[in-house]
Amino acid sequence: MTDRYQQFSTTGVGKALVKRLGLPNPTPLRRHRPGEPPLPGPALLGAAPGGRLLEQVGAVLKAAGAEVLTDPPPGGPAYGALVFDATGITSPEGLRALYDFFHPVIRSVAGSGRVVVLGTPPESAGEPGAAIAQRALEGFVRSVGKELKRGATAQLVYVADGHEDKAESTLRFLLSAKSAYVDAQVIRIGGHGGDAPDPQDWAAPLAGRVALVTGASRGIGAAIAEVLARDGAKVVLLDIPAQGADLVRVANEVGGLALQLDITAADAPHALVEFLTQRHGGVDIVVHNAGITRDKTLAKMTDSAWESVVQVNLACQLRVNDALLESGALRSGGRVIGVSSIAGIAGNVGQTNYAVSKAGVIGMVDAYAPRYAEKGITINAVAPGFIETRMTAAVPLVIREAGRRMNSMSQGGLPVDVAETVAWFAAPASGAVSGNVVRVCGQSLLGA
Amino acid sequence: MTDRYQQFSTTGVGKALVKRLGLPNPTPLRRHRPGEPPLPGPALLGAAPGGRLLEQVGAVLKAAGAEVLTDPPPGGPAYGALVFDATGITSPEGLRALYDFFHPVIRSVAGSGRVVVLGTPPESAGEPGAAIAQRALEGFVRSVGKELKRGATAQLVYVADGHEDKAESTLRFLLSAKSAYVDAQVIRIGGHGGDAPDPQDWAAPLAGRVALVTGASRGIGAAIAEVLARDGAKVVLLDIPAQGADLVRVANEVGGLALQLDITAADAPHALVEFLTQRHGGVDIVVHNAGITRDKTLAKMTDSAWESVVQVNLACQLRVNDALLESGALRSGGRVIGVSSIAGIAGNVGQTNYAVSKAGVIGMVDAYAPRYAEKGITINAVAPGFIETRMTAAVPLVIREAGRRMNSMSQGGLPVDVAETVAWFAAPASGAVSGNVVRVCGQSLLGA
């Protein structure tokens, strides 16, 4: 689970070689530590004329503890963030405002700094010229993400009309070190929006919430349990009995309850409902993290490899969702979070079964988001790219190195990067965030 | 414009080296020649129980001149196509039918063979289980696209309920050598559907139609003009006066009219309407192919580089669309076709301006498709990947080779590959195909 190349590249000899040979240069990413400022420098805030978000965004930045500038000072500091409200742009010609704001200052973004562009969802932007300009923002952000160096990221956040006051949890996440490995993503707020109450304490946004995390005995699942517990949730950690020892260890570390259960068993959904109801009176956050791989090309794949992957990674999740909802165990204000994958988006050799299941998770988000909205429940998914785990450590060297370096960060992410993204979805304050699939991939080149 | 590596790899020494060293192995792609059979072998046709497309698809295949099998014969021939109707799949468990059909025969796909999976658009598939299973098909097709060798491709075609009889032009395109460089695409039929009259002659599907092609003096634009003329259209070729000599030459070659006009000029839309109305009484097909690049990173980009790219590649197209529609010059049954780019989808270093304009073209398709539907007009776009042109020949060697090889075909496409895709959109029989952005990229790894 160590990236020896990255370690080497920060040594004296390593630095020289990286520069001389034009090798990938993976800057150590700034990650969240309680008590540290959210940004590595002041935030510069701007807007195209007619924007509707500037005031709220400025207030959020200040509330989060950031220094906010509205004019570039002479000399130009290293900016912790460049934030631009593009909602006022209503034509292709108007996109010039993007250039005017970013061109003079883009060079001054600090390491692990943040670029955030805010827009109106094209599908609700009204006249074609406005819809087209808003859609065009995506090309800008994805290019800027590739141009930024030293761990800086760029994101596009579409805020639906009338949801200006519901972007705080999202902006706090993106404008912090918690989103270290999230890059060049397009996030929609308000499409299936519900209530988004502010927490009493932004350092414990999940206080009083009960969370279920499947596949929690190690890797990404363990990191999710840990971060949700850090944020104040009571966590139920689920894994198969064969993982029992690891599961209990992690559960003890995070002060949660271990539940050994084969989630694909016919009576598992019922048993789960019973457990959650008896122990905690229900559940607020469900993270479908359990997943397996059984890789073979389609010609060589066995039927059991197909069946087991589809069962664990997709089919049983629908049964659990339905049981939790029908029994009332999943409470109003609930948060369901799936784990998709880059392979579910782009496909992969040897993973027809896995890619089917992970594309299905995206389908799950699409299908349930409008239905859940009526009940004040959100559903979203993370799609990890190359994350440093025991699973990826077992990948052959050349393929592993390709996966690690073929992204804007030139490095793999950590399980905590996925976990922080899950925690953002899980927050009560993220009630207007539903129907999103957000990649945690450092802007991997791999797409679809 | 030659791919010397590909030429070398087909020599005796080249073949041996490619095999020994595991180098990319770019098979020469089968491309359309009039009179040749559409497929390189028989088509095997199957369906999940409850499907609604099998009959129509079988009829289309036969009408197109293909031999159609419904059971794999012993020994298994080299299949020209594997076609599977997955519309009957209504749950994740039901996806097993995909495995059952493809697993025994996927090895037997011929070089430049075709895999086509047909589904129901997830957004209109009804119950969550069905919607999720239909969405999952995408992971399958994208993985199969990567597993297939020797120029074979895989596609997913979503046919909306009630549009079963409007898929012929699309199936004929995908199940032919015309779609040589189109791989792992998701195509929707019927979302903004209009009339889709069959042509009198499938060899001249554009007979009697008038087509405008901008940027037609060379490269992709010239190829588009040529293919549209081959398919029976009267073509008006437009380019800037500085390209006049080349433009006239291409116009003469295709028997079309040359129009020298700077499309960004204020009075250009009016002049264009006048020309089309006087010469041909209007226009049926508009291909917005004219495009420029002015690459620099955002920090070094000039404002004129930003402005000119956004003007030529996006803004002036909206003015032309509006002028053609308001004047009535664009007739009912019209076809508008934009040219986006992989850079507009994934972003690119040094192309914030270009990526903005090309993402805007996708926005143009999204915004106009529902509006045009009322008038019986369709709008779609192609998004070329690495295409062998004078523009890409000027790219530095290492970057050029990366672009050429980083796709499922291990080679660049040809201008004719983009042109054939445009001609499919342009056909009267494609009346139910609107709102699509189809990549012509050989399943480039680059995505978003």
Side-chain angles (χ1 to χ4, degrees):
Chain A
M1 284 196 237
T2 59
D3 183 343
R4 294 217 176 90
Y5 172 83
Q6 182 174 12
Q7 286 165 2
F8 170 72
S9 72
T10 59
T11 64
V13 177
K15 271 187 197 158
L17 270 179
V18 161
K19 193 159 183 189
R20 183 75 64 91
L21 300 176
L23 296 175
N25 190 3
T27 309
L29 304 182
R30 190 170 179 267
R31 287 194 169 86
H32 172 74
R33 291 188 197 180
E36 289 195 0
L39 293 171
L44 181 68
L45 188 57
R52 59 186 164 82
L53 289 166
L54 191 62
E55 200 179 319
Q56 262 108 346
V57 173
V60 167
L61 279 163
K62 279 173 201 154
E67 182 191 349
V68 182
L69 309 173
T70 50
D71 279 309
Y79 293 108
L82 303 175
V83 183
F84 188 71
D85 174 7
T87 56
I89 298 177
T90 56
S91 71
E93 287 83 357
L95 289 163
R96 172 68 191 267
L98 270 182
Y99 171 85
D100 289 339
F101 177 77
F102 284 105
H103 164 69
V105 293
I106 192 74
R107 222 192 284 260
S108 308
V109 175
S112 291
R114 301 284 179 259
V115 165
V116 174
V117 175
L118 297 139
T120 298
E123 60 276 15
S124 61
E127 289 304 301
I132 290 163
Q134 293 296 320
R135 180 61 180 78
L137 298 174
E138 192 173 327
F140 182 80
V141 167
R142 293 194 193 274
S143 297
V144 169
K146 291 185 175 179
E147 290 189 5
L148 286 170
K149 311 264 187 227
R150 295 179 300 131
T153 64
Q155 324 285 356
L156 174 57
V157 181
Y158 285 128
V159 181
D161 234 344
H163 290 76
E164 293 78 10
D165 58 343
K166 292 181 179 164
E168 181 160 359
S169 75
T170 300
L171 291 172
R172 279 180 177 258
F173 171 65
L174 296 176
L175 295 166
S176 79
K178 292 182 177 178
S179 59
Y181 202 61
V182 177
D183 194 11
Q185 295 305 291
V186 180
I187 292 159
R188 280 174 159 73
I189 294 178
H192 305 287
D195 282 343
D198 284 351
Q200 291 196 304
D201 176 4
W202 280 100
L206 304 181
R209 296 270 155 161
V210 177
L212 168 72
V213 182
T214 69
S217 69
R218 59 180 176 178
I220 291 173
I224 293 170
E226 199 174 321
V227 168
L228 297 185
R230 177 203 71 192
D231 280 358
K234 290 180 229 170
V235 184
V236 174
L237 299 91
L238 183 150
D239 217 316
I240 50 173
Q243 288 293 120
D246 281 351
L247 183 69
V248 169
R249 185 180 50 72
V250 178
N252 287 339
E253 281 169 17
V254 309
L257 288 178
L259 171 58
Q260 298 183 27
L261 185 68
D262 176 358
I263 199 78
T264 63
D267 62 346
H270 177 70
L272 186 57
V273 166
E274 288 280 291
F275 185 91
L276 292 168
T277 312
Q278 285 176 8
R279 295 304 181 97
H280 290 303
V283 67
D284 304 290
I285 299 159
V286 177
V287 186
H288 290 296
N289 168 72
I292 59 171
T293 56
R294 296 284 182 276
D295 296 359
K296 287 280 180 205
T297 59
L298 185 55
K300 292 182 183 165
M301 186 174 290
T302 62
D303 52 2
S304 72
W306 179 278
E307 293 268 359
S308 58
V309 166
V310 171
Q311 270 303 323
V312 175
N313 298 6
L314 182 62
C316 78
Q317 300 182 8
L318 307 193
R319 292 198 297 273
V320 167
N321 287 345
D322 290 349
L324 288 173
L325 203 69
E326 283 161 19
S327 66
L330 180 59
R331 291 187 277 248
S332 177
R335 306 279 180 262
V336 179
I337 297 146
V339 177
S340 182
S341 161
I342 298 269
I345 295 170
N348 198 10
V349 172
Q351 296 201 310
T352 47
N353 52 355
Y354 187 76
V356 153
S357 72
K358 294 300 189 178
V361 169
I362 299 173
M364 184 169 85
V365 170
D366 294 343
Y368 281 114
R371 288 175 169 88
Y372 279 2
E374 301 164 13
K375 299 177 168 59
I377 296 169
T378 69
I379 182 165
N380 297 280
V382 288
F386 187 95
I387 303 295
E388 304 281 356
T389 63
R390 216 187 298 182
M391 197 162 94
T392 51
V395 170
L397 177 74
V398 174
I399 299 176
R400 188 169 74 234
E401 275 303 294
R404 256 186 191 146
R405 306 299 163 214
M406 280 175 59
N407 58 70
S408 291
M409 303 289 162
S410 302
Q411 62 193 285
L414 301 180
V416 69
D417 298 324
V418 181
E420 298 282 12
T421 308
V422 168
W424 156 54
F425 285 142
S430 297
V433 181
S434 192
N436 284 273
V437 178
V438 171
R439 292 166 56 144
V440 184
C441 68
Q443 193 174 23
S444 165
L445 297 185
L446 299 185
Chain B
M1 283 196 239
T2 59
D3 182 343
R4 294 214 178 91
Y5 172 84
Q6 182 174 14
Q7 287 166 359
F8 169 71
S9 71
T10 59
T11 63
V13 177
K15 270 186 198 158
L17 270 179
V18 161
K19 193 160 182 187
R20 182 74 65 90
L21 301 177
L23 296 175
N25 189 4
T27 310
L29 304 182
R30 189 170 179 267
R31 286 193 169 84
H32 172 75
R33 290 188 198 182
E36 288 196 359
L39 293 171
L44 181 67
L45 187 57
R52 59 187 164 80
L53 289 165
L54 191 63
E55 201 178 319
Q56 263 109 346
V57 173
V60 167
L61 280 163
K62 278 173 201 155
E67 181 192 348
V68 182
L69 308 174
T70 49
D71 280 306
Y79 293 108
L82 303 175
V83 183
F84 189 70
D85 174 7
T87 56
I89 298 177
T90 56
S91 70
E93 287 83 357
L95 290 162
R96 172 66 191 268
L98 271 181
Y99 171 86
D100 290 338
F101 177 77
F102 284 105
H103 164 69
V105 293
I106 192 73
R107 223 191 283 261
S108 307
V109 174
S112 290
R114 300 285 180 257
V115 165
V116 174
V117 175
L118 298 138
T120 298
E123 59 276 15
S124 61
E127 289 303 300
I132 291 163
Q134 292 296 319
R135 179 61 180 78
L137 298 174
E138 193 174 326
F140 181 80
V141 168
R142 293 196 193 274
S143 297
V144 168
K146 291 185 175 179
E147 291 189 4
L148 287 169
K149 312 264 186 223
R150 296 179 299 130
T153 64
Q155 324 283 356
L156 173 57
V157 182
Y158 285 128
V159 182
D161 234 346
H163 291 77
E164 292 77 11
D165 59 342
K166 292 180 179 165
E168 181 159 359
S169 75
T170 300
L171 291 171
R172 279 181 178 259
F173 171 65
L174 297 177
L175 295 166
S176 79
K178 291 182 177 179
S179 59
Y181 201 60
V182 177
D183 194 10
Q185 294 305 292
V186 180
I187 293 159
R188 280 174 160 74
I189 295 178
H192 304 285
D195 282 342
D198 284 352
Q200 292 198 303
D201 176 4
W202 280 101
L206 304 181
R209 298 270 155 160
V210 177
L212 168 72
V213 181
T214 68
S217 68
R218 59 181 175 177
I220 290 173
I224 293 170
E226 200 175 319
V227 169
L228 297 184
R230 177 204 71 192
D231 281 356
K234 292 181 227 169
V235 184
V236 175
L237 300 90
L238 183 150
D239 217 317
I240 51 174
Q243 289 293 120
D246 281 350
L247 184 69
V248 170
R249 185 181 48 75
V250 178
N252 287 340
E253 280 168 18
V254 308
L257 288 178
L259 171 58
Q260 298 182 27
L261 186 67
D262 176 357
I263 199 77
T264 63
D267 62 345
H270 177 71
L272 185 57
V273 165
E274 289 280 292
F275 185 91
L276 291 168
T277 312
Q278 286 175 9
R279 296 301 180 97
H280 290 301
V283 67
D284 303 290
I285 298 159
V286 177
V287 186
H288 291 295
N289 167 73
I292 60 171
T293 56
R294 295 286 182 274
D295 295 357
K296 286 279 181 207
T297 59
L298 185 54
K300 293 182 182 166
M301 186 175 289
T302 62
D303 53 1
S304 73
W306 179 278
E307 293 268 357
S308 58
V309 167
V310 171
Q311 270 304 323
V312 175
N313 298 7
L314 181 62
C316 78
Q317 299 183 9
L318 307 194
R319 291 198 297 274
V320 168
N321 287 344
D322 290 348
L324 289 172
L325 203 69
E326 283 160 20
S327 66
L330 179 60
R331 293 188 276 248
S332 177
R335 305 279 178 260
V336 180
I337 297 145
V339 177
S340 182
S341 162
I342 298 270
I345 295 170
N348 199 9
V349 172
Q351 296 201 310
T352 46
N353 52 354
Y354 187 75
V356 152
S357 72
K358 295 300 189 179
V361 169
I362 299 173
M364 183 169 87
V365 171
D366 293 341
Y368 281 114
R371 288 175 169 87
Y372 279 3
E374 300 163 15
K375 301 176 167 61
I377 296 169
T378 69
I379 181 166
N380 297 280
V382 289
F386 187 97
I387 303 295
E388 305 281 356
T389 64
R390 214 186 301 181
M391 196 162 92
T392 53
V395 169
L397 177 73
V398 174
I399 298 175
R400 188 169 74 235
E401 275 302 294
R404 256 185 190 146
R405 306 299 164 213
M406 280 175 58
N407 59 70
S408 291
M409 304 289 164
S410 303
Q411 62 192 286
L414 301 180
V416 70
D417 299 323
V418 181
E420 297 283 12
T421 308
V422 168
W424 155 54
F425 286 141
S430 297
V433 181
S434 191
N436 285 273
V437 177
V438 171
R439 293 166 57 144
V440 184
C441 68
Q443 193 175 22
S444 166
L445 297 186
L446 298 185

